[in-house]
Amino acid sequence: LLVGLIYDRGDGVKADPQKALGWIEKAAAQGFPQALHNLGYAYEFGEYGLPVDLPKALSLYLQAAEKDFGPALGNAATILRDGKGVPADLPLAVALFERGLALGDRHSTAEFAYMQAEGIGVSVDLTYARELYEVAAVQGVDWAMRDYADMLERGEGGPTDLPRALEFYQRAVSEGYAMAGLDIAEMAWAHPDVFPDRVEALAYCLWAEAQPALPGMASYAGRCDAAMAELGPEERAEARVMANSF
């Protein structure tokens, strides 16, 4: 597996996806859980020139999950929850996410927080969702940072905490998560006592507007028009310059 990763990343050698795949397949055949997971990921997303094959990806993830490899538990559970290329199986997805959560897998933690918040396969539990989002956010999951901040701002699952919400919106921006920049701008207009600098708020908004939209979502274009209209030409120019620093 290590040799495969070296060829994959080009660490000290010329990157060679086919050699990388060969070594990963050999390691997977020997039952190494990370290799099983990596090969499953390659089939899920069509990497190394492989065709997308979601049933095969799931099979490989589940083999790695049997060995308690956290990322495989989360990825298998996501496929089963969403019915991505295979029949959905919410009870099994819940069980796998719970195992991943117990192992400290950040993907499992974030996705299970989402399920708790939305009541997917489980009863809605906003308090537990918020707790899990906080854990995943601290572990570095960008969208969990944003969703945790949103719950803090709205007072969902616990008391409102606007300063902490702003902190995690900003953390999400630092990870490149565009929606959090829009959230900061909205917070500045709704809560000027927490974020009084509208020029900086517009900068966050402009930065977000320039980012690619998330899959399945509309473009962010035009989301800053209302904020732009409330500021003068010099302030708008300053915001544009500041946006390039994020």
Side-chain angles (χ1 to χ4, degrees):
L1 175 60
L2 180 59
V3 177
L5 295 176
I6 288 173
Y7 278 112
D8 184 27
R9 299 167 183 165
D11 291 342
V13 297
K14 182 179 179 180
D16 189 325
Q18 290 309 304
K19 284 186 178 180
L21 175 61
W23 283 102
I24 291 170
E25 287 177 326
K26 288 179 182 179
Q30 294 175 38
F32 287 99
Q34 185 176 349
L36 289 163
H37 167 269
N38 289 9
L39 189 56
Y41 190 91
Y43 275 108
E44 182 177 1
F45 296 102
E47 296 191 344
Y48 303 118
L50 291 172
V52 172
D53 188 332
L54 293 168
K56 189 162 188 174
L58 176 61
S59 175
L60 289 161
Y61 284 147
L62 289 173
Q63 290 177 60
E66 288 177 0
K67 302 173 185 293
D68 284 336
F69 190 69
L73 286 159
N75 288 349
T78 301
I79 288 176
L80 289 165
R81 180 195 64 197
D82 298 343
K84 184 179 177 183
V86 300
D89 188 335
L90 283 176
L92 181 54
V94 169
L96 292 171
F97 275 134
E98 289 180 327
R99 283 175 57 198
L101 171 62
L103 290 169
D105 176 56
R106 64 180 191 167
H107 173 68
S108 297
T109 303
E111 293 289 354
F112 199 50
Y114 168 71
M115 293 175 73
Q116 293 288 333
E118 300 296 326
I120 301 172
V122 296
S123 299
V124 172
D125 187 337
L126 293 180
T127 300
Y128 189 35
R130 178 161 155 168
E131 291 173 1
L132 292 177
Y133 271 138
E134 180 178 15
V135 172
V138 171
Q139 289 175 322
V141 180
D142 54 4
W143 65 270
M145 296 175 188
R146 185 267 165 189
D147 284 11
Y148 175 53
D150 185 61
M151 294 190 82
L152 290 166
E153 183 178 3
R154 297 174 184 274
E156 293 181 341
T160 299
D161 189 336
L162 295 178
R164 188 164 175 79
L166 176 59
E167 174 192 346
F168 277 87
Y169 282 141
Q170 289 174 321
R171 287 194 191 188
V173 167
S174 71
E175 295 294 327
Y177 197 73
M179 285 184 65
L182 302 175
D183 292 321
I184 291 173
E186 292 175 1
M187 174 180 274
W189 262 258
H191 305 286
D193 54 320
V194 177
F195 199 103
D197 190 337
R198 290 193 170 188
V199 172
E200 185 179 358
L202 176 58
Y204 275 111
C205 189
L206 292 171
W207 169 82
E209 194 177 58
Q211 307 309 306
L214 293 172
M217 296 189 66
S219 166
Y220 300 128
R223 294 287 296 272
C224 304
D225 291 353
M228 291 277 284
E230 293 193 26
L231 299 180
E234 292 184 1
E235 293 171 312
R236 293 196 295 268
E238 182 181 353
R240 288 191 185 95
V241 172
M242 193 181 299
N244 293 326
S245 67
F246 295 141

